[in-house]
Amino acid sequence: QVQIEESGGGLVQPGGSLRLSCAASLSIFSIYIVGWYRQAPGQQREMVAQILHDGNTFYADSVKGRFTISRDNAKSTVYLQMNGLRPEDTALYYCNAARGPGDFWGQGTQVTVSS
């Protein structure tokens, strides 16, 4: 059974930083496209950052220059370094791993940015 587990969320003041981790129990993890998504109350889930199997990355305009996605295939883990956090970054952050018919989601980790 595939497991996707996010960690690293929490409460942080505006301007602060957090690093989210996404650990996956997937064989051949390196071939998966892995993305971070977020959903704030009353809003649709949106893509935040994505990293392809070849290391190419994509970011939502709202987080460009502040967030960095990276992967460690040896640990089957993807990270999201979030700097310069803003109150509007507050949301439940989900990790997704996808390849062909495989599409796996974690339960999410809460990020709250507030003074």
Side-chain angles (χ1 to χ4, degrees), residues 2 11-12 14 23 29 35 42 53 55 58-59 64-67 69 71-74 87 94 102-103 105 112-113:
V2 175
L11 173 63
V12 64
F29 173 78
H53 60 87
F58 300 91
Y59 297 93
K64 282 181 182 177
R66 299 189 297 124
F67 291 10
I69 189 170
R71 66 192 302 160
D72 184 339
N73 290 328
Y94 297 91
D103 188 14
W105 291 89
T112 302
V113 185

Side-chain angles (χ1 to χ4, degrees), residues 2 11 21 33 35 51 65 86:
V2 175
L11 173 63
S21 298
I33 297 170
I51 187 164
R86 304 168 180 169

Side-chain angles (χ1 to χ4, degrees), residues 40-63:
Q43 297 189 20
Q44 291 187 332
R45 190 175 297 187
E46 62 174 354
M47 191 275 287
V48 175
Q50 196 175 59
I51 187 164
L52 307 187
H53 60 87
D54 60 3
N56 282 331
T57 58
F58 300 91
Y59 297 93
D61 288 343
S62 59
V63 307

